[in-house]
Amino acid sequence: MEINAKNVLDGPLEACSYSPLTGFFRDGCCHTGMDDVGSHVVCAVMTEEFLHFSLKRGNDLITPRPEYRFKGLQPGDRWCLCVTRWQEAYLSGVAPPVVLQSTHVRALSVVTLEALKEHAY
């Protein structure tokens, strides 16, 4: 995990969500590191449309999984998404809103700042 990580606006990376607790490191932030193969760097606000889109793509974010201490996500919850899933949703017209201050600068290696700003929360 990087210390002093930056967001896509070149400011300090802000927390995404503590409830539900999100992030690859489950620290509330969209920090990333070498082990984060999926690059969970986009802080997104869940929508019903996106949650069903993700489910159809094989990533069920709705169903509670107590064995992983995961309560399931609801519309309005903030969550650190894989940047490629967000891009896929963007290209399909169902991208959830993005919290720019909480989205890691590494997202810009896959998506443009303009695309993220189009969906700013």
Side-chain angles (χ1 to χ4, degrees), residues 44-54 56-57 81 85-97 119:
V45 181
M46 297 297 98
T47 64
E48 191 165 334
E49 188 176 37
F50 173 77
L51 288 169
H52 288 288
F53 172 83
S54 186
K56 289 178 188 174
R57 296 298 191 274
L81 292 179
R85 179 53 46 97
W86 189 89
Q87 180 187 41
E88 180 184 12
Y90 173 74
L91 294 173
S92 297
V94 294
H119 291 78

Side-chain angles (χ1 to χ4, degrees), residues 4 21 62-64 70 95 119:
N4 300 321
L21 187 59
I62 301 168
T63 304
F70 179 69
H119 291 78

Side-chain angles (χ1 to χ4, degrees), residues 2-79:
E2 296 177 37
I3 297 174
N4 300 321
K6 295 280 188 179
N7 64 38
V8 294
L9 301 175
D10 199 36
L13 185 66
E14 296 180 12
C16 181
S17 176
Y18 294 113
S19 181
L21 187 59
T22 192
F24 178 76
F25 297 102
R26 292 298 189 263
D27 63 354
C29 294
C30 297
H31 288 121
T32 191
M34 296 294 291
D35 294 333
D36 183 12
V37 178
S39 198
H40 296 77
V41 295
V42 176
C43 180
V45 181
M46 297 297 98
T47 64
E48 191 165 334
E49 188 176 37
F50 173 77
L51 288 169
H52 288 288
F53 172 83
S54 186
L55 179 63
K56 289 178 188 174
R57 296 298 191 274
N59 186 19
D60 182 358
L61 298 172
I62 301 168
T63 304
R65 299 289 304 268
E67 65 272 26
Y68 298 115
R69 295 183 306 175
F70 179 69
K71 295 180 182 180
L73 299 178
Q74 304 288 323
D77 287 342
R78 293 182 182 196
W79 194 250

